[in-house]
Amino acid sequence: MSDGIHARALQLIAQERVEGTSPAEREWLTAHFQNCARCAELARQTNQALLSMRTAAIPIPRGLASRTQFRVRLRAEELREHGLGRQLLWTIAGVSWALGIASAPWVWRAFEWVGHRTGAPKLIWEVGFVMWWAVPALLATGVVLAIWNGRAGEPE
């Protein structure tokens, strides 16, 4: 017999175990097994190997379930902490912006006065006024992100 026929038989033996074969292919393979003892033996060995793998006992380490539950609890706690950090971030940013809006008229006048006294261009003291609002929220965001990054680097 040619090597092409044996190669097809080997491919059908593997295919039958994984995705199945059509009835025509199964008939061809059965007929081939009657004429080729080598391929029939390979099919028998494949069946035996799969059967022994299905019945093989895989030892599970003692305490695996409790360790897994512990890790899940730790991860849930970590996620809760990040949720609190996110709330803290929004609270700090909100308070910062509320105080910024409440104090805006006085801060505007202060920046305008300093700008006129120093002869600074209007654009410079206007940018300073905007930064007066933005910097506290940016700093709070930076602190919270630094804390999160610090936790991410901690060993488990």
Side-chain angles (χ1 to χ4, degrees):
M1 284 189 207
S2 72
D3 288 336
I5 292 174
H6 294 295
R8 180 175 182 218
L10 294 178
Q11 188 230 352
L12 287 175
I13 290 169
Q15 181 180 342
E16 187 175 38
R17 304 306 181 274
V18 176
E19 54 196 50
T21 55
S22 69
E25 290 172 328
R26 182 71 193 134
E27 284 178 30
W28 181 89
L29 195 57
T30 303
H32 179 72
F33 288 161
Q34 291 174 356
N35 297 328
C36 181
R38 189 177 74 178
C39 289
E41 179 62 19
L42 180 69
R44 190 192 66 72
Q45 288 176 356
T46 303
N47 282 337
Q48 187 63 34
L50 289 173
L51 183 62
S52 66
M53 287 178 66
R54 286 188 193 121
T55 59
I58 299 172
I60 296 175
R62 184 172 270 254
L64 178 64
S66 63
R67 288 195 313 260
T68 303
Q69 289 174 345
F70 177 70
R71 292 284 183 182
V72 168
R73 282 191 207 108
L74 283 178
R75 181 67 179 144
E77 184 179 319
E78 181 180 309
L79 290 174
R80 276 193 299 271
E81 288 176 6
H82 280 277
L84 292 175
R86 194 171 292 121
Q87 287 176 341
L88 177 65
L89 172 66
W90 284 108
T91 302
I92 291 171
V95 168
S96 169
W97 282 91
L99 291 174
I101 290 170
S103 65
W106 295 288
V107 174
W108 177 264
R109 287 189 192 114
F111 273 92
E112 184 179 28
W113 180 80
V114 169
H116 288 308
R117 292 291 259 176
T118 61
K122 185 175 181 180
L123 181 64
I124 298 295
W125 60 265
E126 285 176 344
V127 168
F129 175 75
V130 170
M131 293 305 290
W132 179 265
W133 269 15
V135 167
L138 291 174
L139 287 175
T141 302
V143 167
V144 171
L145 290 176
I147 290 171
W148 286 353
N149 285 335
R151 286 186 187 151
E154 290 178 356
E156 291 187 23

